[in-house]
Amino acid sequence: MLEKVNYAEIVHRCFRCGYCKFPSDYSEINCPSYAKYRFETYFSGGRMWLIRAWMNNEIEWSEHLGEIMYSCSTCRNCVEHCVFKFNEQLVDVFIAARSDMVERGLVPKKVGEFFNNLAKFGNPWGYAAKRLEWVGRDYANNEFLLHAGCVAAYDDRAKKSLKALLELLDVAGVDYGVFSDEICEGNEAVIMGEFGLFEQLMEQNRKRFEERGVKKVLTPDPHAFNAFRNYYGLDVVHHTQLLWNLVNDGELKVGKVEGKLTYHDPCFLGRWNGVYKEPRKLLSRIGSFYEMPRNRKDSFCCGGGSGNFYTDYLGGKDSPARMRVKEAAETAEILVTSCPVCLMMLDNAVSDEGLELDVRDISEVVLEALKS
Amino acid sequence: MYEELKAIVGEEFVSKEPEELYIYSSDPGTMPPVKPDYVVMPKTTEEVQKIVLLANKHKVPVVPMGGALSLSGLVRPLRGGIVVDMKRMDRIIEVNEKARYAVIEAGVSEGRLKAYLDKKYPSLRISTPDAPPIATVTANALIHGSGRLSQIYGFHSEMITGMEVVLPTGEICRVGSCSVSPYWFSRSPLPDLAGLFIGWFGRTGIVTKLGIKLFPKHRYRDVMIFVTENPSYVSDVIWRVAHTEMAEDITVWAQPRPEWAEGFQHTTIYVTADSEEELEFKKKIIRNALMDYIKQKEGGFLYLTPGMKAMFLQEPMSQLVRFADVRRGGGFEYVGAILPVDLFDVAYQKGLEIVERLGIDWAFSIRIIGRSHCMMFAYAYPFNRADEEDVERARKALHETNKAVLEMGGIPWKAEAPAQQLILESMDEGAKRLIKSVIEMLDPNGVMNPGNWEVK
Ligand SMILES: Cc1cc2nc3c(=O)[nH]c(=O)nc-3n(C[C@H](O)[C@H](O)[C@H](O)COP(=O)(O)OP(=O)(O)OC[C@H]3O[C@@H](n4cnc5c(N)ncnc54)[C@H](O)[C@@H]3O)c2cc1C
Ligand code: SF4
Ligand code: SF4
């Protein structure tokens, strides 16, 4: 379980020097919320100082402060680039401060809605349950429980990518099943500081897993991957890892896809969990792969993490997602990612920008390569 | 006024919320906070102009801000008003490869210009300061910053080739060759109006575009560290190395930690070349220049591991900022004394006397500017911002150092408002009258960053 850090011992150590705004080469602003808002309040250093000010009663909580706190997508670019020794704890500080705010009932409106829906319906939008009934393959002691995560379960675009994954798993003969009544694993709840709600969701999920004998989880959602791996302590694989093994072992016989490919690292897969190689190996195997200038540890977040795909604090014309697809369009014709949240954010951004860029999940391109 | 500012820059780029006012009331140094009334982030020169005109209409101060990293509280709005965060004006407008200059908007950061050149013009470079990379090229040049090429080419202010300025009355004006020609190559041969805006801390106008010199970037770089245990040798060591004209950058550092560094002065010499042969040749000449010290066992070169070399060669040197964590409290500030190199020993001894008397942590970090024409001697003091007594101790040390520097015949660089007053006390009466007249002439309503260079 995530330890709640004692941020009172850390916040005053931030110098507000701004190294954390950048990628390694300082070429662009790489903190998504600072890139959008540009006020000094919206980057890691600004947040550290504001948390300290709030803690010392120099400023009061306000909806605006709440929005500043929650527009951090917890992408961990600052963790990667802060030059101080407490860098590893930066995002933990934000989470802990949010948690203290939540405990006092201090959450901005949209975040409150998010939590309420999650508590009542097991998903952020308040949609009906039985979200994976359409898969028609209930878990029955299979090798893997396939956990889709909220976005792949409900968002139309992400759902399509989930279907591609299911098709690939069938072709490769992978033994999996789903919970048709899957509920959120709670990654966003804990990251957004609702520890109580997270405990509740984790307990519910654990109970179901135990009752139904789940041993291994397969998920296309890096957010779920993070929670299962780091908070539940489960044996979990991300679909990029499984797909690479299947392709590499010859279980999936792939050809080539047309067009230049590039890859957007989802923060919860890359910076949070260090999975960088598998997607690149896969894409290099099936097509012409080009890196965007900001990649791997320097990747630029799509702006969807930490509930922002719902709260939309990072939306609008200067959104990180729009910046990211422009960068992708200068690099390649097909922007591949491996996260339902990124897929949804980037796909919408391409429409908003009117770009000729194809945004796909990695399972969709692998499926195309399989059929080619 | 809020509505008027919104109409100029757009709703999302103006704030009067307590959170922004809090953050923009201070920088990371020791100066006490002063709250602005508004923070705005313009995107164009025209927007800056409209903000300044509005400030005149309402007789409200305007304070330009870059990276807010000068540490001496220079971007605090001393009389309230509008803080203008320039960093949205971040276009690199032109790089003239053959004439070796760039034209940039005022919010372009050191980091971004460096990365841009590395990628698109790999044979060109700027003189990078060791400030964190979000520091703006424009503010750095305007405050007489210095960097990796200052030993050869001088202060960064000397590298300015032209500028576009919004005057305190709202007129837009160009200075340098760009006032006559489409090229931004030089401030000569015209009356040098740039001096009206350099070193003034935004008191005479907001610079919106800057022409800045670029320099050849060589393929090979190396670093050597010459160690002495006697500060009275250092000015001669510097003089000898500068005389060879083989070094690119010369810095000196002395600090009590780590233990192995205590009591020594480390003269760090950077060498660049286009071939290994040239590099070795330059290093040899430098070694020869210091041979007397080596023979008499009064100095020697430090063995540098690849890790240490990489750290020293990094631009900017990110390790430096970690000095703020010495007292685990996120703060340091320094007096950057501009002094003749000859005064190294005096400056060093005076610094030690202050830190010993006040019992304060310290580091001295010196950069040579010009061929030992002068140096920026930084007396840096870390503090724990969560401990008011510690902050006060650092303030006291800074104040005493500022006074000592003036007594030695030096001048505090990027001086805090109180230190500006100390400088003015020592200044020639004629110069003071001129400063006053310039301000009154350019800024009749007293709206441009008032409180700075205030001649009483
Ligand atoms: C670790 C560390 C190392 C450093 N090393 C160096 C170094 O090697 N060399 C060096 O020179 N400095 C160094 N500095 C000091 C400082 O960070 C730099 O000088 C920095 O470049 C200042 O730029 P800024 O954008 O942060 O300026 P700011 O602090 O934002 O502004 C400085 C002044 O310029 C004015 N100003 C800002 N923009 C404009 C404008 N557009 N028009 C008119 N006036 C304007 C402001 O009102 C203010 O008075 C260092 C600082 C730190 C923390
Ligand atoms: S979080 Fe780290 S890098 Fe960012 S401003 Fe604070 S000290 Fe600097
Ligand atoms: S985690 Fe990402 S969004 Fe949040 S402050 Fe750090 S860099 Fe910015």
Side-chain angles (χ1 to χ4, degrees):
Chain A
M1 193 25 225
L2 188 95
E3 289 282 318
K4 190 162 159 179
V5 298
N6 182 359
Y7 56 85
E9 287 178 1
I10 305 171
V11 278
H12 62 281
R13 290 173 66 189
C14 165
F15 187 52
R16 231 171 83 197
C17 61
Y19 270 96
C20 53
K21 289 175 176 171
F22 287 105
S24 312
D25 68 356
Y26 315 131
S27 55
E28 298 283 347
I29 296 298
N30 221 35
C31 163
S33 55
Y34 181 66
K36 172 180 157 61
Y37 287 97
R38 301 307 294 261
F39 282 114
E40 293 289 316
T41 36
Y42 282 86
F43 83 110
S44 188
R47 290 191 178 94
M48 293 287 275
W49 281 49
L50 286 176
I51 292 169
R52 178 161 180 256
W54 176 68
M55 195 181 83
N56 292 344
N57 297 319
E58 287 174 82
I59 56 166
E60 283 176 19
W61 192 88
S62 67
E63 184 76 12
H64 185 56
L65 180 64
E67 286 176 8
I68 293 171
M69 290 302 147
Y70 281 95
S71 62
C72 162
S73 66
T74 56
C75 73
R76 285 176 74 93
N77 178 69
C78 51
V79 173
E80 207 55 58
H81 298 292
C82 168
V83 292
F84 284 74
K85 285 189 181 148
F86 53 81
N87 64 326
E88 277 298 330
Q89 288 167 302
L90 281 171
V91 165
D92 298 345
V93 165
F94 305 146
I95 294 172
R98 288 170 177 182
S99 153
D100 279 359
M101 292 175 184
V102 169
E103 275 172 20
R104 293 180 213 181
L106 304 174
V107 287
K109 224 170 104 241
K110 284 193 211 155
V111 173
E113 274 170 28
F114 185 104
F115 289 153
N116 284 339
N117 286 335
L118 206 52
K120 272 198 218 140
F121 303 100
N123 69 73
W125 301 278
Y127 290 148
K130 296 267 179 198
R131 64 204 213 176
L132 294 183
E133 206 165 27
W134 59 270
V135 176
R137 198 159 165 163
D138 249 24
Y139 182 83
N141 265 324
N142 305 94
E143 186 186 356
F144 292 105
L145 167 74
L146 182 111
H147 178 94
C150 294
V151 177
Y154 290 110
D155 175 71
D156 286 342
R157 178 65 192 88
K159 235 173 168 172
K160 265 204 218 158
S161 71
L162 180 60
K163 285 181 186 152
L165 175 63
L166 300 181
E167 207 178 323
L168 285 170
L169 297 180
D170 287 340
V171 173
V174 175
D175 179 30
Y176 73 93
V178 299
F179 289 173
S180 54
D181 58 347
E182 177 188 291
I183 54 163
C184 179
E185 79 295 325
N187 188 66
E188 301 310 272
V190 68
I191 298 296
M192 293 164 81
E194 221 322 354
F195 285 25
L197 178 55
F198 173 68
E199 297 278 357
Q200 205 181 306
L201 290 167
M202 181 161 72
E203 211 173 298
Q204 276 174 275
N205 274 305
R206 274 212 172 120
K207 201 159 153 234
R208 288 157 152 232
F209 290 3
E210 267 163 37
E211 280 169 6
R212 303 190 206 179
V214 173
K215 281 178 208 67
K216 258 200 249 175
V217 180
L218 164 67
T219 181
D221 186 336
H223 300 242
F225 178 76
N226 181 62
F228 288 142
R229 182 172 182 254
N230 299 319
Y231 312 140
Y232 285 60
L234 277 178
D235 190 356
V236 56
V237 240
H238 185 252
H239 74 315
T240 47
Q241 299 172 311
L242 183 74
L243 290 177
W244 166 244
N245 287 341
L246 293 173
V247 167
N248 200 34
D249 296 347
E251 309 278 342
L252 286 174
K253 301 214 175 335
V254 290
K256 295 275 180 192
V257 293
E258 294 280 315
K260 285 181 169 179
L261 304 169
T262 191
Y263 179 69
H264 167 83
D265 289 279
C267 304
F268 277 94
L269 195 60
R271 279 188 290 253
W272 278 80
N273 288 292
V275 179
Y276 295 110
K277 280 192 214 132
E278 291 88 340
R280 290 179 164 78
K281 285 189 198 161
L282 257 178
L283 295 178
S284 304
R285 176 72 70 88
I286 63 176
S288 319
F289 174 65
Y290 296 83
E291 288 285 9
M292 280 185 271
R294 291 181 282 180
N295 60 69
R296 294 187 176 88
K297 287 182 175 172
D298 287 328
S299 182
F300 183 55
C301 169
C302 74
S306 217
N308 277 284
F309 65 86
Y310 175 89
T311 55
D312 205 30
Y313 294 132
L314 295 174
K317 68 179 181 358
D318 298 311
S319 74
R322 283 191 179 202
M323 297 178 198
R324 188 59 164 164
V325 293
K326 283 190 249 176
E327 186 176 347
E330 284 171 17
T331 311
E333 289 139 10
I334 304 167
L335 169 59
V336 183
T337 189
S338 54
C339 166
V341 177
C342 298
L343 183 68
M344 175 175 89
M345 301 293 292
L346 298 170
D347 198 55
N348 287 338
V350 163
S351 314
D352 294 341
E353 284 289 320
L355 291 172
E356 299 252 325
L357 180 75
D358 210 354
V359 184
R360 301 215 219 145
D361 185 77
I362 200 153
S363 5
E364 295 170 319
V365 278
V366 175
L367 186 62
E368 190 188 323
L370 188 82
K371 291 178 177 170
S372 71
Chain B
M1 214 172 141
Y2 180 56
E3 293 305 318
E4 290 172 283
L5 285 169
K6 276 195 328 199
I8 297 170
V9 292
E11 186 168 8
E12 62 274 47
F13 298 118
V14 52
S15 176
K16 59 180 173 71
E17 299 295 330
E19 290 77 7
E20 276 75 38
L21 301 189
Y22 175 82
I23 290 291
Y24 284 83
S25 65
S26 61
D27 73 3
T30 59
M31 286 284 108
V34 187
K35 273 207 173 122
D37 299 305
Y38 305 96
V39 181
V40 289
M41 294 189 289
K43 185 73 188 154
T44 63
T45 301
E46 289 65 37
E47 287 180 9
V48 175
Q49 180 182 39
K50 285 181 189 160
I51 294 164
V52 173
L53 288 171
L54 187 71
N56 274 281
K57 181 173 130 192
H58 294 280
K59 307 265 189 301
V60 163
V62 234
V63 179
M65 181 191 121
L69 283 166
S70 41
L71 308 184
S72 30
L74 292 178
V75 294
R76 296 169 309 144
L78 299 175
R79 307 271 158 81
I82 309 166
V83 168
V84 186
D85 182 337
M86 299 297 287
K87 292 192 292 301
R88 273 184 74 231
M89 292 187 63
D90 59 359
R91 281 184 316 137
I92 295 167
I93 299 165
E94 182 198 347
V95 170
N96 189 322
E97 194 173 4
K98 296 296 169 199
R100 291 203 177 98
Y101 67 77
V103 183
I104 57 172
E105 285 186 333
V108 171
S109 66
E110 297 280 357
R112 205 163 93 73
L113 183 57
K114 179 183 180 298
Y116 182 85
L117 295 173
D118 284 348
K119 195 167 162 196
K120 305 230 161 138
Y121 298 92
S123 60
L124 292 178
R125 61 179 302 202
I126 43 168
S127 174
T128 308
D130 281 308
I134 196 70
T136 59
V137 177
T138 301
N140 179 270
L142 290 177
I143 63 170
H144 296 293
S146 55
R148 294 295 176 116
L149 297 175
S150 288
Q151 192 256 159
I152 315 180
Y153 303 107
F155 287 100
H156 293 166
S157 44
E158 294 166 48
M159 300 173 186
I160 295 174
T161 60
M163 47 176 96
E164 176 190 81
V165 195
V166 175
L167 300 179
T169 43
E171 288 109 294
I172 299 172
C173 137
R174 282 188 171 199
V175 303
S177 59
C178 65
S179 65
V180 179
S181 143
Y183 300 103
W184 291 60
F185 53 83
S186 162
R187 274 146 64 184
S188 307
L190 303 166
D192 194 3
L193 296 174
L196 288 172
F197 310 101
I198 295 172
W200 290 85
F201 306 145
R203 184 65 188 88
T204 49
I206 301 185
V207 174
T208 44
K209 292 192 184 84
L210 190 86
I212 188 90
K213 285 183 188 169
L214 305 174
F215 302 95
K217 184 161 128 199
H218 302 292
R219 284 174 57 212
Y220 293 86
R221 288 180 74 224
D222 206 352
V223 57
M224 311 157 80
I225 297 187
F226 191 73
V227 185
T228 46
E229 206 179 352
N230 185 342
S232 70
Y233 296 154
V234 177
S235 58
D236 182 57
V237 167
I238 294 164
W239 194 88
R240 287 173 182 235
V241 177
H243 183 82
T244 65
E245 300 203 318
M246 294 291 146
E248 186 171 89
D249 185 16
I250 308 173
T251 62
V252 188
W253 52 277
Q255 56 194 47
R257 274 181 263 177
E259 225 169 88
W260 58 260
E262 196 183 354
F264 295 99
Q265 304 83 42
H266 306 81
T267 304
T268 310
I269 304 157
Y270 292 85
V271 185
T272 53
D274 279 321
S275 67
E276 283 184 36
E277 209 182 355
E278 185 191 348
L279 195 72
E280 282 314 312
F281 171 78
K282 286 182 166 174
K283 280 163 51 181
K284 193 172 149 198
I285 301 274
I286 290 168
R287 271 195 296 266
N288 285 346
L290 298 174
M291 202 46 86
D292 292 347
Y293 285 98
I294 297 171
K295 279 190 185 148
Q296 288 157 23
K297 299 203 171 15
E298 297 288 4
F301 284 96
L302 190 69
Y303 169 73
L304 294 174
T305 61
M308 284 167 91
K309 276 203 178 182
M311 182 183 86
F312 282 103
L313 289 170
Q314 193 195 19
E315 289 187 41
M317 208 170 121
S318 64
Q319 283 291 321
L320 283 183
V321 81
R322 281 172 59 174
F323 187 59
D325 210 30
V326 163
R327 298 190 61 77
R328 296 174 70 82
F332 84 89
E333 190 179 328
Y334 61 94
V335 170
I338 309 297
L339 287 159
V341 178
D342 223 21
L343 290 182
F344 187 95
D345 189 29
V346 181
Y348 190 96
Q349 302 297 356
K350 189 70 207 171
L352 284 186
E353 189 256 295
I354 292 173
V355 297
E356 272 159 25
R357 184 159 39 81
L358 299 182
I360 190 167
D361 271 320
W362 60 277
F364 300 155
S365 172
I366 296 95
R367 172 164 269 131
I368 307 310
I369 297 163
R371 300 293 194 193
S372 79
H373 291 118
C374 62
M375 61 182 168
M376 192 285 298
F377 195 121
Y379 298 87
Y381 307 122
F383 58 87
N384 177 355
R385 73 176 67 255
D387 176 352
E388 194 39 49
E389 268 180 33
D390 211 39
V391 181
E392 195 44 50
R393 205 167 18 245
R395 261 187 216 126
K396 190 159 191 273
L398 291 161
H399 183 66
E400 292 209 10
T401 310
N402 276 322
K403 282 206 309 205
V405 165
L406 282 159
E407 279 162 20
M408 276 178 247
I411 304 169
W413 164 57
K414 64 181 174 60
E416 304 87 352
Q420 290 170 32
Q421 286 308 316
L422 289 179
I423 297 173
L424 287 168
E425 277 170 26
S426 310
M427 195 181 271
D428 164 64
E429 286 303 319
K432 276 200 290 198
R433 271 197 303 277
L434 191 54
I435 286 182
K436 198 162 189 271
S437 319
V438 168
I439 290 175
E440 281 167 2
M441 176 197 63
L442 288 175
D443 186 14
N445 288 326
V447 295
M448 277 307 307
N449 205 359
N452 285 289
W453 295 126
E454 201 90 334
V455 179
K456 298 206 166 116

